[in-house]
Amino acid sequence: MIRSVPSSNAPRRRHYLMCRPTYFAVEYTINPWMDPDVGVDRDRAVRQWKALRELYRRLGHRVSEIAPIEGLPDMVFAANGGLVVDGRVYGARFASAERTPEGPAHLSWFGEAGYTRTREPKHVNEGEGDFVVLEEVILAATGFRTEAAAHQEAENFLDRPVITLQLVDPRFYHLDTALFALSERQIVYYPDAFSAGSRRVLNALFPEALLATEDDAAVLGLNAVSDGHNVVLAAEATGLADRLRSLGHAVHPVELDELRKAGGGVKCCTLELRDTPD
């Protein structure tokens, strides 16, 4: 069991990597949210993304940016580009051919930014999309994108214990669509996104976790970012927002419905750069 800490934790300054949606589009289907016939308003997507970036800065966080690449419309979802723990970078190897070039692009950015401890993965994994870092463990998902073998690969490289979870609902194809870290020891998750065995694991490890409803999960309300006090989440996740406020958190709803057309939200746009040990 991982004992939670009080929900009124002070915020901790973070460093995030983001990618402007300059070339954002829905041109193919690699998850149930994507429909190329719907169309997107790219200018609106950029405005919504910029509002998210500026919110992070107002909250005191540092934001770095990786340059978008033409022909990679999903590169805005920077969280999938890797996993950074204590300055070590475990790179991404995408499941779909459409996104495969994003992995090397992110590793190149890390090298240019001065990161010296990097690992090009042998196994398919989609970065923080399927890894959630906590103080004592890393939660990792498989089922739709990331291979279970990548969990062991990440554990060995990052020198952190990794707990494997199984996703079962294709709407929640990445872990970060079904679970997020509220603090270093506390999580919020939607139980029905996970297998029965994984629900037992989560209940045993986090008996005080906040359980989300389907209504909030269905608008990607769990694709959220918390600094321990401030929680940034989809504006449509009103029920979850009210519950978080009742626990003493400052909630910051944002509109990212344009990016949601590709199955992404707040966390998808946000890769945390854990440059040094906490």
Side-chain angles (χ1 to χ4, degrees), residues 104 124 139 174 188 221 240 249 263 268:
V124 170
L139 301 178
H174 275 154
V188 183
L240 179 56
H249 290 276
C268 288

Side-chain angles (χ1 to χ4, degrees), residues 123-275:
H123 302 287
V124 170
N125 83 88
E126 300 198 348
E128 278 198 324
D130 275 325
F131 290 96
V132 171
V133 179
L134 299 166
E135 184 177 73
E136 299 180 15
V137 300
I138 298 174
L139 301 178
T142 189
F144 297 104
R145 299 290 183 85
T146 296
E147 297 174 347
H151 299 176
Q152 186 64 56
E153 186 177 33
E155 180 177 272
N156 292 340
F157 176 62
L158 299 172
D159 196 26
R160 292 277 192 100
V162 174
I163 306 296
T164 294
L165 303 169
Q166 182 84 23
L167 295 170
V168 296
D169 186 328
R171 293 176 299 170
F172 310 111
Y173 58 94
H174 275 154
L175 182 60
D176 70 359
T177 65
L179 180 153
F180 73 93
L182 187 58
S183 70
E184 300 297 332
R185 291 174 173 264
Q186 180 63 295
I187 64 169
V188 183
Y189 69 99
Y190 173 54
D192 287 351
F194 298 90
S195 68
S198 294
R199 291 197 299 271
R200 288 193 292 270
V201 170
L202 288 169
N203 185 59
L205 289 174
F206 305 95
E208 300 177 37
L210 184 63
L211 305 183
T213 66
E214 182 173 10
D215 286 345
D216 289 321
V219 293
L220 292 182
L222 289 162
N223 195 248
V225 170
S226 172
D227 63 14
H229 176 66
N230 297 289
V231 183
V232 183
L233 81 175
E236 296 86 353
T238 55
L240 179 56
D242 288 343
R243 294 171 71 193
L244 290 168
R245 290 189 186 99
S246 73
L247 294 173
H249 290 276
V251 177
H252 304 271
V254 295
E255 294 185 355
L256 283 182
D257 54 290
E258 205 63 38
L259 294 175
R260 192 163 61 236
K261 293 177 180 178
V266 174
K267 177 56 189 170
C268 288
C269 294
T270 313
L271 174 60
E272 185 167 350
L273 304 180
R274 300 172 187 84
D275 300 322

Side-chain angles (χ1 to χ4, degrees), residues 35 44 55 62 69 85 120 143 168 170 175 211 249 268 276:
D35 181 355
R44 187 165 185 265
L55 172 59
R62 177 185 174 193
I69 298 174
V85 177
E120 183 176 357
V168 296
L175 182 60
L211 305 183
H249 290 276
C268 288
T276 58

Side-chain angles (χ1 to χ4, degrees), residues 71-145:
L72 298 178
D74 283 339
M75 198 167 169
V76 60
F77 303 128
N80 304 149
L83 174 64
V84 185
V85 177
D86 297 344
R88 301 181 187 182
V89 180
Y90 178 57
R93 183 180 293 271
F94 286 83
S96 63
E98 292 88 348
R99 299 195 67 183
T100 294
E102 294 181 42
H106 275 83
L107 277 179
S108 178
W109 182 89
F110 281 112
E112 293 169 2
Y115 291 81
T116 59
R117 295 180 294 174
T118 63
R119 173 67 58 88
E120 183 176 357
K122 294 180 180 179
H123 302 287
V124 170
N125 83 88
E126 300 198 348
E128 278 198 324
D130 275 325
F131 290 96
V132 171
V133 179
L134 299 166
E135 184 177 73
E136 299 180 15
V137 300
I138 298 174
L139 301 178
T142 189
F144 297 104
R145 299 290 183 85

Side-chain angles (χ1 to χ4, degrees), residues 49-66:
W49 177 88
K50 288 173 67 176
L52 175 63
R53 182 191 61 185
E54 295 313 305
L55 172 59
Y56 285 147
R57 289 174 172 167
R58 289 198 304 275
L59 293 175
H61 305 306
R62 177 185 174 193
V63 178
S64 295
E65 294 183 36
I66 180 173

